[in-house]
Amino acid sequence: MPKDHGIGASPKRREDVRFLSGTGNYTDDINVSGQAYVHFLRSDVAHGRITSINTEAAAAMPGVLKIFTGADFEGVGGIPCGWQVTDRHGEPMQEPAHPVLAQGKVRYVGDQIAAVVAETLEQARDAAEAIEVDLEELPAVVDMKAALADGATKVHDDLTSNLCYDWGFVEENKPAVDAAFEAAAHVTTLELRNNRLVANPMEPRVAIGDFNRGTGDSTLYTTSQNPHVIRLLMGAFVLGIPEHKLRVVAPDVGGGFGTKIFHYAEEAFCTFAAKALNRAVKWTSTRSEAFISDAHGRDHVTKIELALDAENNFTAIRTDTHANMGAYLSTFAPSVPTWLHGTLMAGNYKTPLIYVNVKAVFTNTVPVDAYRGAGRPEATYQLERVIDKAARELGVDPIALRRQNFITEFPYATPVAVEYDTGDYHGTMDALEKIADFSGFEARRKESEARGKLRGLGVNCYIEACGIAPSNLVGQLGARAGLYESATVRVNATGGLVVMTGSHSHGQGHETSFPQVIAEMIGIDESMVEIEHGDTDKAPMGMGTYGSRSLAVGGSAMVRATEKIIAKTKKIAAHLLEAAEADIELKDGTFSVAGTDKSVAWGDVTLAAYVPHNYPLEDIEPGLEETAFYDPANFTYPSGAYACEVEVDPETGKVTIEAFSAADDFGNVVNPMIVDGQVHGGIGQGIGQALLENAAYDENGQLLSASYMDYAMPRASDVPFYSVDHSSQTPCTHNPLGVKGCGEAGAIGSPPAVVNAVVDALQSGGHKVDHVDMPVSPSRVWAAMNA
């Protein structure tokens, strides 16, 4: 029977009560007494030199408090990058300055030229329209390969070129990889694009800066996935505010998908302006602003080659990727196409030799950074597409080819510097074959053909690295911050617990799943555990939520802190029961002496911790509060196998997804319902990328898909009901919960499954099509069929 409480149960999400009743507390719900409003004047050209800015008329308009330009931020730090990459020649990446407001040049459509602070938002907008900006428009560079050509216009005049870095991994493997290709019995080559995306979380970004003149303290309320990181970056590197004088609060956040990890200029501006004006300053992004100011995702162009021997064993992989950085380096942008991408190119397979080359390129476009999966989807997509193409060239079953090359023994050290601790790739494929009903596919294909449609089946596997750590390793790889997590567990006198965590919840369900873990450890009801997050004045220093790290890293910190609590309560219980500490057992919220009927309840022991009448204070200090920091020994490695069935209308090229199945290995699962929801959402986003979404620029750097009129988001009618399975569990060996992470899996595994299915459908109809770039839109499919 399913459990009804604790680890493995599926209680309803307690946070949904306030979300569904409209009583959530989002940043835009916060209004500080006397606050002013800011509107940013953004560049409408992709590249230009600012020759003059005249704010005189605008400053005299009603309600205007001050107009800020780049000149006001001279001497103020720029927006920092949190990761440095060293190129294949041992040189550090080129790292341009990123000013809060444009200084000298604008470098993409959406770049902030000026900021108007006024009594009302309408007054600020009106005044912004009166600012006179004289721009000398310059040629824009949008195409990455053109940006690297001799004589190309430079995005940043002070850099040697538009190349941020030329990264090779593993560089010393390259000669052996090249030799393996020379000796290969078969080589499959595929060129593809991983399309640029806009994250589009339901809640747009918001920032409110406040300043207390009496204490000299600054406060920033913001839509962030990691408030402590924002405090560190903005305080130390941009505005020079000591951390103890800066509070960052991220209340309820309506989705992030990576785009709310980063420190943005608007946050720094509102904090700076609040102090300058001694007024709270609020900014709420419009959806139109979000398209041209939120960091975009993906945008890779790749050539991948797969070498096989005469028995169809994979012998080598070689990839060459151009990765778009946009105009500036966002917080974690350099790491996404390198350490989060190159290290996953082994996938689920025992390929002995791999070489990855990545050229990161500056262009006159919105900066690009992590988007759900961050590097792992890019790696999986190219790998799983080239394997499918190889199977078709060799005339073998694509599932059998994968199975033949699966890793089967663990731990397994890949040739790209990571070690998988556990996995069962045959197990997840077995589960997939059952839930996807592969045996019935041919009958379904014939039924589609009878209706004049082409039906295709696409299968792929994935593996990802989550819980990015340990800190000393990622520090060597260029991370400019630790990647541990923290938790403080405070037990009240009556036995209730408050857990303050550095992890942040913006849809993950922490307020439900975290109490399940602690309640099981102690044996109390989950309602006795409250979770607090998102306030740097309350929670200990933590790194936030991204990379499917919350439970694997943040949850492990919480477990370690709770273990300290249990150890102390056992000492107190031993005194109360007049027994040896080693004989004390805790079960179902009761302490007992092993082998006796002597016991004391959890609440009695916690009360004694604050009313210490029955134990010596020289042995145990009063109170019951513990903090733990957890720095993992390794990544975790969720994995899975996905299948997609599509129908293609040969008259129009329209693709309809008829079925989608996902079999995942997430290690131990705390709340199956929440895990299902995370997988469903990720698959929906992956389908959106595969079929619909595309951030398209013209040659002048204008974003053509800058609104929902032109940027197609998936709707309910675009996705099927999903079949999901996570029964194939191989627990992680190096965290106390045995968990691996689940938040990004769906977005990683779904795009190649969809495209593989479309290619299968087209080939079943006699069309010699071996690839269609995402998004696989009707026009692209029709063109491929009729080429």
Side-chain angles (χ1 to χ4, degrees):
M1 285 185 61
K3 293 183 66 175
D4 60 2
H5 65 278
I7 294 175
S10 293
K12 292 181 179 179
R13 298 192 346 158
R14 62 169 74 171
E15 49 268 74
D16 285 350
V17 174
R18 69 177 186 274
F19 295 151
L20 295 174
S21 62
T23 55
N25 184 38
Y26 297 92
T27 307
D28 195 52
D29 294 323
I30 298 170
N31 291 292
V32 180
S33 177
Q35 72 187 15
Y37 297 82
V38 60
H39 176 78
F40 292 96
L41 176 64
R42 299 181 183 275
S43 176
D44 59 3
V45 301
H47 197 195
R49 198 174 311 281
I50 302 172
T51 56
S52 67
I53 303 176
N54 186 343
T55 63
E56 186 176 350
M61 292 180 68
V64 174
L65 300 175
K66 184 174 174 62
I67 298 176
F68 295 82
T69 66
D72 294 290
F73 286 84
E74 291 180 3
V76 175
I79 306 302
C81 178
W83 203 295
Q84 177 179 292
V85 166
T86 300
D87 74 9
R88 57 195 293 253
H89 308 294
E91 296 297 321
M93 65 188 187
Q94 295 202 91
E95 189 172 357
H98 185 178
V100 175
L101 295 177
Q103 295 177 345
K105 285 177 71 175
V106 292
R107 294 181 172 87
Y108 64 95
V109 173
D111 211 354
Q112 298 98 321
I113 297 174
V116 181
V117 181
E119 297 287 355
T120 70
L121 180 57
E122 292 74 16
Q123 289 171 332
R125 286 174 175 165
D126 290 344
E129 292 183 2
I131 297 174
E132 298 175 2
V133 180
D134 190 6
L135 276 175
E136 176 194 347
E137 191 166 355
L138 302 172
V141 287
V142 177
D143 179 82
M144 287 185 280
K145 292 182 180 179
L148 298 181
D150 291 341
T153 301
K154 289 194 291 185
V155 178
H156 297 273
D157 297 338
D158 54 332
L159 302 187
T160 59
S161 69
N162 291 319
L163 181 67
C164 178
Y165 56 75
D166 180 359
W167 186 77
F169 190 71
V170 175
E171 194 64 30
E172 52 266 32
N173 285 357
K174 191 174 187 304
V177 171
D178 292 342
F181 273 91
E182 290 292 328
H186 181 85
V187 174
T188 295
T189 302
L190 181 62
E191 296 188 27
L192 48 79
R193 173 182 290 275
N194 206 295
N195 42 322
R196 180 185 279 240
L197 303 173
V198 180
N200 282 313
M202 187 176 294
E203 175 202 31
R205 289 190 297 118
V206 183
I208 307 169
D210 194 15
F211 180 70
N212 186 323
R213 187 167 56 180
T215 63
D217 292 344
S218 293
T219 300
L220 171 68
Y221 302 93
T222 184
T223 46
S224 175
Q225 298 176 220
N226 46 1
H228 282 98
V229 174
I230 302 306
R231 184 183 68 172
L232 174 65
L233 294 177
M234 186 178 74
F237 299 103
V238 185
L239 301 181
I241 304 173
E243 285 186 270
H244 67 283
K245 305 299 286 182
L246 175 59
R247 177 190 180 198
V248 177
V249 180
D252 289 331
V253 173
F257 313 122
T259 200
K260 291 177 182 173
I261 297 171
F262 323 122
H263 175 39
Y264 287 95
E266 293 90 352
E267 294 169 321
F269 175 83
C270 289
T271 307
F272 177 90
K275 182 176 181 180
L277 299 172
N278 195 30
R279 293 274 298 271
V281 176
K282 183 174 185 176
W283 171 74
T284 300
S285 173
T286 65
R287 187 61 65 182
S288 296
E289 276 185 296
F291 272 94
I292 57 172
S293 64
D294 290 3
H296 291 179
R298 312 287 193 252
D299 205 353
H300 288 190
V301 176
T302 296
K303 176 183 178 182
I304 180 170
E305 299 169 283
L306 173 64
L308 302 93
D309 65 17
E311 285 75 44
N312 295 340
N313 297 306
F314 301 165
T315 59
I317 292 170
R318 186 166 58 193
T319 76
D320 180 47
T321 292
H322 287 72
N324 205 330
M325 296 288 100
Y328 298 103
L329 291 178
S330 181
T331 306
F332 292 121
S335 68
V336 174
T338 52
W339 300 112
L340 299 183
H341 159 248
T343 54
L344 272 297
M345 281 310 305
N348 308 62
Y349 311 103
K350 51 190 177 186
T351 312
L353 292 165
I354 298 174
Y355 179 72
V356 179
N357 177 247
V358 177
K359 296 176 178 66
V361 185
F362 293 112
T363 62
N364 292 116
T365 63
V366 173
V368 179
D369 208 320
Y371 172 72
R372 197 170 190 170
R376 284 69 56 89
E378 294 90 323
T380 299
Y381 180 66
Q382 58 186 281
L383 180 60
E384 292 297 319
R385 282 293 299 119
V386 80
I387 290 173
D388 232 53
K389 184 171 186 243
R392 297 185 186 284
E393 290 175 350
L394 294 166
V396 301
D397 178 68
I399 296 175
L401 182 61
R402 288 175 168 86
R403 284 187 179 274
Q404 175 180 338
N405 287 279
F406 276 162
I407 297 162
T408 56
E409 296 182 1
F410 297 89
Y412 178 83
T414 75
V416 277
V418 294
E419 182 175 282
Y420 305 159
D421 59 335
T422 60
D424 181 5
Y425 308 145
H426 283 290
T428 50
M429 185 62 81
D430 290 343
L432 180 70
E433 292 198 21
K434 292 177 183 177
I435 63 173
D437 184 23
F438 286 0
S439 61
F441 173 70
E442 284 305 323
R444 295 191 294 275
R445 172 175 272 173
K446 289 179 180 178
E447 190 274 333
S448 295
E449 289 173 352
R451 292 184 287 104
K453 302 294 177 65
L454 306 177
R455 196 177 189 102
L457 171 64
V459 175
N460 72 277
C461 301
Y462 80 89
I463 189 166
E464 60 168 324
C466 300
I468 301 167
S471 293
N472 63 347
L473 172 61
V474 295
Q476 295 171 33
L477 302 182
R480 290 165 170 168
L483 290 173
Y484 53 84
E485 200 46 82
S486 63
T488 294
V489 177
R490 177 181 299 155
V491 185
N492 300 316
T494 53
L497 296 89
V498 178
V499 179
M500 291 154 282
T501 172
S503 298
H504 188 279
S505 182
H506 40 277
Q508 290 83 359
H510 295 173
E511 294 172 43
T512 302
S513 57
F514 283 10
Q516 289 179 250
V517 173
I518 291 183
E520 175 137 323
M521 293 177 70
I522 299 172
I524 58 176
D525 192 89
E526 292 149 18
S527 64
M528 295 179 65
V529 184
E530 289 290 327
I531 306 297
E532 290 190 357
H533 61 85
D535 188 338
T536 61
D537 271 9
K538 294 181 179 179
M541 176 75 175
M543 293 295 109
T545 294
Y546 45 85
S548 303
R549 72 192 304 271
S550 295
L551 199 58
V553 188
S556 295
M558 183 178 64
V559 168
R560 293 294 185 233
T562 304
E563 288 173 343
K564 293 180 183 181
I565 292 288
I566 291 172
K568 184 172 181 179
T569 53
K570 282 186 174 181
K571 287 185 179 182
I572 298 172
H575 282 283
L576 297 178
L577 295 170
E578 298 179 332
E581 184 183 332
D583 293 333
I584 299 297
E585 298 176 344
L586 173 60
K587 184 179 180 181
D588 297 331
T590 299
F591 296 91
S592 60
V593 181
T596 76
D597 60 357
K598 296 172 65 177
S599 66
V600 61
W602 167 260
D604 293 330
V605 174
T606 60
L607 181 62
Y610 290 93
V611 186
H613 293 167
N614 298 306
Y615 59 86
L617 295 178
E618 62 269 20
D619 292 341
I620 308 171
E621 66 182 31
L624 206 50
E625 181 173 319
E626 297 289 350
T627 296
F629 288 79
Y630 180 78
D631 200 339
N634 190 5
F635 304 118
T636 64
Y637 298 98
S639 60
Y642 285 14
C644 177
E645 285 189 35
V646 302
E647 273 193 349
V648 177
D649 185 338
E651 298 297 321
T652 65
K654 179 175 172 55
V655 176
T656 303
I657 296 183
E658 296 295 320
F660 201 103
S661 303
D664 298 284
D665 175 6
F666 296 134
N668 293 333
V669 172
V670 171
N671 187 308
M673 178 192 69
I674 288 178
V675 169
D676 285 352
Q678 288 288 310
V679 174
H680 289 181
I683 293 173
Q685 285 186 280
I687 289 172
Q689 175 174 14
L691 293 185
L692 300 161
E693 300 182 48
N694 191 36
Y697 281 90
D698 70 11
E699 67 277 8
N700 298 314
Q702 295 292 332
L703 183 61
L704 300 177
S705 49
S707 76
Y708 290 143
M709 293 288 289
D710 301 295
Y711 188 95
M713 294 284 286
R715 301 185 180 191
S717 58
D718 296 311
V719 299
F721 285 97
Y722 309 119
S723 298
V724 300
D725 177 276
H726 35 76
S727 61
S728 180
Q729 298 178 7
T730 59
C732 175
T733 59
H734 54 78
N735 68 54
L737 289 168
V739 297
K740 295 184 177 182
C742 67
E744 298 164 301
I748 295 170
S750 51
V754 174
V755 178
N756 286 347
V758 171
V759 171
D760 182 61
L762 298 183
Q763 294 204 356
S764 75
H767 300 283
K768 296 180 179 180
V769 176
D770 57 24
H771 182 67
V772 182
D773 266 330
M774 299 187 292
V776 186
S777 61
S779 62
R780 289 184 175 182
V781 173
W782 190 90
M785 287 191 295
N786 292 278

